[in-house]
Amino acid sequence: MSLKYALLGFLNHSSMTGYDLKQHFDRSVRHFWSANLSQMYPTLSQMEKDGLLTMEVENQEKHPPRKVYRITGAGRRELKQWLAEPIGLPSLRIPFLVKVFFGGCLEKEEIIALLKDHLSRHRALMDRYLQIRKEIMEHPESKGMEKEFFFGNLTLGVGIKIEQAWIDWLEESVANIEEMNESGVRGGVLTDQRG
Amino acid sequence: MSLKYALLGFLNHSSMTGYDLKQHFDRSVRHFWSANLSQMYPTLSQMEKDGLLTMEVENQEKHPPRKVYRITGAGRRELKQWLAEPIGLPSLRIPFLVKVFFGGCLEKEEIIALLKDHLSRHRALMDRYLQIRKEIMEHPESKGMEKEFFFGNLTLGVGIKIEQAWIDWLEESVANIEEMNESGVRGGVLTDQRG
DNA sequence: TTTCTGTATATAAGTTCTTATATATGCAAT
DNA sequence: ATTGCATATATAAGAACTTATATACAGAAA
């Protein structure tokens, strides 16, 4: 459960509510970790029971009370320990590739439409990443935030590299399949690859 | 639930048992979809109830009976329909990037160790992919399997591209951080990037 | 001779994550 | 006026997935 450690990571920087944490997630780690509030609230309250966090209620006049979570010494130790531990590669689940794998069941036009649709999604995501990078770069007011800035930018970097890999592959695949003649796969990429 | 459709995809090619399906998964789609037998068995039996599959028991002398699943017309229709539908990007969960994001909490040596460990994992995976590609290419006995071969090879291609992206990024990041001077991030990549 | 791997089934318990629902208010836009 | 968005909490139900456990035999390796 890395959600726990992601929460500890943000709370190590500053104390906040579940709602605040959700904002931070969506603004900075969304490209490699997402979480719903409905998952975060019970996780936070469990972490409090486990002594990793303390909670303080701040009453507000016009809004529901804020439950502000603060990391404890035990929380910091557990975060630090987890961060330093090596971790294996996550097992991926990419439904789109299931579709491509069984693409033989589809007409040529259908598989091309599928690839082009996915290409536009990856291009849109790439645009968002590049926009975020641009905003980060033009942000000189990050005094005392050098480390946060540096590592955030680093993780954005791998996102951009992976999106570029997807875009390249999708463009090549569309071109490959479009060039295939109508007699099926025989006249296309397959025979080319075998020499 | 794409597991259902992956099962339909394999069963569309030939009838088999849960155990056989597990072998097929591990040999061909593992890099973008994995499943445990304990998840597959109940899923298959549910699919049978839903009329997507039929099941026939084959008794064996020395082993437990084989439950052979066969796709139905309804199953084929549902597979075909799902395959042609566009699908969004999956939300990723990469615990390693959570660690990198909060890398500011670690010593320089610790973060470098983390990156190098991950680099070796990605290199090992890349080696496996290249080995599989080599085996596919040297396999001329795939008569009548051109389409299966073609699309299987295609999905392997994106796996290779993404592994290369990871390897490049990890190598660059290790070099970047190693070159940083001991006064922190100020003398390193951060200032370089700002000009 | 024992241990490990492979064939073949399956359930139970637990974790993680998603989707739907509920409450209550302020503020801005249409 | 009303819709939608933002603030702030939270529960319930269910889907999806992991890990542990169970049975039973064959064949190969140590």
Side-chain angles (χ1 to χ4, degrees):
Chain A
M1 221 240 269
S2 304
L3 171 60
K4 180 170 131 181
Y5 299 102
L7 292 168
L8 284 174
F10 282 114
L11 290 172
N12 186 43
H13 185 258
S14 63
S15 301
M16 54 189 136
T17 68
Y19 192 87
D20 297 334
L21 281 160
K22 172 68 173 157
Q23 313 299 314
H24 274 77
F25 268 67
D26 288 350
R27 278 185 213 130
S28 56
V29 297
R30 204 186 192 175
H31 54 295
F32 56 85
W33 203 274
S34 60
N36 296 317
L37 273 171
S38 59
Q39 195 190 355
M40 286 169 64
Y41 284 126
T43 303
L44 286 167
S45 100
Q46 183 58 50
M47 288 164 73
E48 195 206 345
K49 278 178 203 151
D50 296 342
L52 305 175
L53 306 177
T54 57
M55 189 265 281
E56 221 171 308
V57 178
E58 285 180 11
N59 287 304
Q60 297 180 114
E61 278 173 28
K62 307 270 180 173
H63 284 291
R66 288 163 51 86
K67 292 190 178 175
V68 179
Y69 288 95
R70 179 181 307 277
I71 194 169
T72 64
R76 282 214 170 76
R77 277 193 297 281
E78 197 159 324
L79 171 62
K80 178 86 214 291
Q81 200 199 319
W82 180 80
L83 286 177
E85 271 168 15
I87 192 164
L89 305 183
S91 64
L92 301 178
R93 287 206 169 75
I94 306 176
F96 169 72
L97 290 180
V98 175
K99 295 189 189 231
V100 175
F101 188 83
F102 295 114
C105 304
L106 294 175
E107 298 301 314
K108 183 175 158 177
E109 297 72 34
E110 290 175 309
I111 184 82
I112 287 175
L114 212 55
L115 291 166
K116 283 187 174 172
D117 171 78
H118 226 63
L119 179 54
S120 76
R121 291 174 199 266
H122 278 289
R123 281 185 177 144
L125 189 54
M126 177 66 117
D127 286 349
R128 261 198 282 155
Y129 287 174
L130 292 176
Q131 186 57 37
I132 294 171
R133 166 151 286 182
K134 200 179 144 201
E135 279 163 21
I136 291 179
M137 291 305 183
E138 288 166 355
H139 230 305
E141 85 272 12
S142 52
K143 285 169 196 165
M145 291 284 286
E146 279 84 2
K147 277 190 172 183
E148 284 80 359
F149 171 98
F150 176 75
F151 288 106
N153 195 35
L154 205 60
T155 60
L156 190 58
V158 76
I160 290 171
K161 277 226 151 83
I162 288 174
E163 285 313 304
Q164 193 58 56
W166 272 103
I167 291 168
D168 291 347
W169 177 79
L170 284 162
E171 286 175 349
E172 285 167 25
S173 299
V174 168
N176 264 348
I177 295 174
E178 276 179 342
E179 278 165 25
M180 276 167 44
N181 69 41
E182 296 306 320
S183 69
V185 198
R186 290 192 158 276
V189 191
L190 187 74
T191 43
D192 289 344
Q193 285 181 343
R194 283 148 135 197
Chain B
M1 221 241 268
S2 305
L3 171 60
K4 181 169 129 180
Y5 299 102
L7 292 169
L8 284 174
F10 282 114
L11 290 172
N12 186 43
H13 184 258
S14 62
S15 301
M16 52 188 138
T17 67
Y19 192 87
D20 296 334
L21 282 160
K22 171 67 173 159
Q23 313 298 314
H24 274 77
F25 267 69
D26 288 350
R27 278 184 214 131
S28 57
V29 297
R30 202 185 195 175
H31 54 295
F32 56 85
W33 203 275
S34 59
N36 295 319
L37 273 171
S38 60
Q39 195 190 355
M40 286 169 63
Y41 283 127
T43 302
L44 287 167
S45 99
Q46 183 58 51
M47 287 164 74
E48 195 206 344
K49 277 177 204 153
D50 295 342
L52 306 175
L53 306 177
T54 57
M55 190 266 280
E56 220 172 309
V57 177
E58 285 180 9
N59 287 303
Q60 299 181 112
E61 278 173 27
K62 306 272 181 172
H63 285 291
R66 288 164 50 87
K67 293 190 177 175
V68 179
Y69 288 95
R70 180 181 307 275
I71 194 168
T72 64
R76 280 215 172 77
R77 276 192 299 281
E78 196 159 326
L79 172 63
K80 177 85 215 291
Q81 200 199 319
W82 180 80
L83 285 177
E85 270 167 17
I87 191 165
L89 306 183
S91 63
L92 301 178
R93 287 204 169 76
I94 307 176
F96 169 72
L97 290 180
V98 175
K99 294 189 190 232
V100 175
F101 188 82
F102 296 113
C105 304
L106 294 174
E107 299 300 314
K108 182 176 159 177
E109 296 72 35
E110 288 175 308
I111 185 81
I112 287 174
L114 213 54
L115 292 166
K116 284 187 172 172
D117 170 78
H118 226 63
L119 179 53
S120 76
R121 291 175 199 265
H122 278 289
R123 281 183 177 146
L125 189 55
M126 177 66 118
D127 287 348
R128 262 197 281 158
Y129 287 175
L130 292 176
Q131 184 59 36
I132 294 170
R133 166 151 284 182
K134 201 179 143 202
E135 279 162 21
I136 291 178
M137 292 305 182
E138 289 166 355
H139 231 303
E141 86 274 13
S142 51
K143 286 170 196 165
M145 292 284 286
E146 278 84 2
K147 277 189 170 183
E148 286 81 357
F149 171 99
F150 176 74
F151 288 106
N153 195 36
L154 204 60
T155 59
L156 190 58
V158 77
I160 291 171
K161 278 226 151 82
I162 288 175
E163 284 315 303
Q164 193 58 57
W166 272 103
I167 291 168
D168 290 347
W169 177 78
L170 285 162
E171 284 175 349
E172 285 168 25
S173 299
V174 167
N176 264 349
I177 296 175
E178 274 178 343
E179 277 165 24
M180 277 167 43
N181 70 39
E182 296 305 321
S183 70
V185 199
R186 291 192 159 276
V189 190
L190 187 72
T191 43
D192 289 345
Q193 284 181 341
R194 283 148 134 197

